[in-house]
Amino acid sequence: ARKHDGKNGVLVYHPSLMDAVRERLEIEAAIERGLREDLFDVYLQPIIDLGTGRIAGFEALMRLDQPEESAFASSRIIEIAEETGLIGKIGERVLEKAAQHLKRLSALDGIESTYLALNFSPLQFEPSLPTRLAALLLKYEIASTRIVIEITEAVLLADNAEMHTVMAQLSAFGCRIALDDFGTGYSSLSYLNRFQVDIVKIDQSFTRTLASDQPEVRRKSRMLIKGIRTISQQMGCTVVAEGIENNEQWLSLRRLGIDHGQGYLFSAPLSIDEMMGMLEEKSEVKNQNSARSTERH
Ligand code: C2E
Ligand code: MG
Ligand code: MG
Ligand code: MG
């Protein structure tokens, strides 16, 4: 990238700004194409009960089918979609696909009562959300108590009557509210006091430093996680750890009394077909084992 400082009458040229504009236009085009050609889908990542090793739920993560060589990260797509107002349309597709997928998974043994965690941006947290969600759950015959609504500090910052009404309606309807990326916001702890929260999702950055090669960093991470866990559980919240990538992190989190966890160690987010395949394989192994053990008796 060339740089001129604008002195001596040289025109200031900002290649980085040009790149940003180009990236933005490309993402906008990808979103519009994705909506037109139905290229948005939802991948599912299992959330594990760290005590029993069973699947407690699934987080629905938006995926746009795009050419590998020019694929944009979901978080960038979501950001641009929020800025251009297209997040509403994407959210509709995401909701529909997630409900479809959960319905398919629920036919499997042990999955019928798992929860589905859905991510929502501030703009999606609108007054029509509870009724739209209710209609969708009716259509796919899913109990509202299986739904977890994941929000970040960005949603809570609005802190207006409308937002409170939507939260209260969702809760009254039986959905649970999860605070995502907990611990990274400006006033994470105060949200536990001001809002009705059911689940606290400890941000991946805390999980990452649990396996640091510096003992002091590891020790401090353990203390932070323990503190968050104690406060959250005393307030009646379930605690979920994100970004578990290795055994060391998993064992530490279990020892620290964290309820649930998700991460590449257990499974990356998978397409519905991949997830069905994985779960069917698992239940076959289980059935074979139990068949073998009944033979022995
Ligand atoms: P998030 O809700 O905090 O989701 C967790 C992110 O961590 C996901 O990234 C997931 O793929 C990734 N992840 C899972 N396990 C691991 C691990 O072991 N290690 C690491 N390093 N990462 C892991 P993803 O899918 O790229 O999504 C990024 C963010 O985009 C999400 O963060 C969420 O804020 C947003 N997002 C995703 N789907 C939706 C959606 O449907 N609607 C809205 N509004 N936001 C969404
Ligand atoms: Mg999330
Ligand atoms: Mg998160
Ligand atoms: Mg996040």
Side-chain angles (χ1 to χ4, degrees), residues 180-181 203 242:
D180 207 349
D181 305 342
D203 190 69
E242 305 191 86

Side-chain angles (χ1 to χ4, degrees), residues 85-279:
L86 288 169
I87 189 70
K89 282 193 183 144
I90 297 176
E92 288 288 312
R93 300 286 170 91
V94 164
L95 264 185
E96 185 91 29
K97 300 265 169 162
Q100 272 171 18
H101 296 345
L102 185 69
K103 174 145 177 136
R104 238 183 104 186
L105 284 177
S106 299
L108 300 172
D109 257 2
I111 304 296
E112 51 288 292
S113 58
T114 52
Y115 65 82
L116 176 70
L118 300 159
N119 292 283
F120 285 93
S121 302
L123 285 177
Q124 294 175 273
F125 222 69
E126 49 177 14
S128 66
L129 176 63
T131 41
R132 282 189 294 117
L133 186 64
L136 192 75
L137 296 181
L138 203 62
K139 177 173 168 192
Y140 289 100
E141 301 170 293
I142 296 169
S144 53
T145 49
R146 293 181 70 191
I147 301 299
V148 168
I149 307 284
E150 291 197 5
I151 54 177
T152 56
E153 174 174 70
V155 170
L156 299 178
L157 280 177
D159 199 359
N160 53 29
E162 202 172 79
M163 187 213 73
H164 280 270
T165 308
V166 174
M167 270 182 95
Q169 284 173 342
L170 290 168
S171 293
F173 183 45
C175 302
R176 278 165 290 171
I177 307 279
L179 215 45
D180 207 349
D181 305 342
F182 191 83
T184 58
Y186 288 105
S187 44
S188 296
L189 285 176
S190 82
Y191 297 131
L192 293 181
N193 201 15
R194 278 154 54 207
F195 303 100
Q196 176 52 51
V197 176
D198 307 288
I199 297 170
V200 165
K201 294 191 79 172
I202 301 181
D203 190 69
Q204 341 193 322
S205 53
F206 295 96
T207 305
R208 200 171 309 127
T209 49
L210 258 187
S212 162
D213 45 19
Q214 292 165 268
E216 187 57 15
V217 174
R218 283 205 304 272
R219 197 178 66 86
K220 284 182 179 167
S221 314
R222 281 200 301 271
M223 288 171 68
L224 277 168
I225 291 175
K226 201 170 170 178
I228 294 176
R229 188 220 80 185
T230 306
I231 293 170
S232 304
Q233 287 179 345
Q234 279 175 355
M235 300 201 109
C237 297
T238 299
V239 185
V240 183
E242 305 191 86
I244 306 176
E245 295 182 356
N246 57 51
N247 280 311
E248 186 185 350
Q249 293 165 332
W250 174 31
L251 293 177
S252 306
L253 290 163
R254 245 181 75 160
R255 233 180 281 125
L256 288 167
I258 301 304
D259 302 300
H260 298 169
Q262 65 190 101
Y264 299 152
L265 177 67
F266 305 119
S267 168
L270 300 177
S271 72
I272 180 63
D273 289 336
E274 290 168 330
M275 184 61 78
M276 286 293 284
M278 189 185 85
L279 295 174

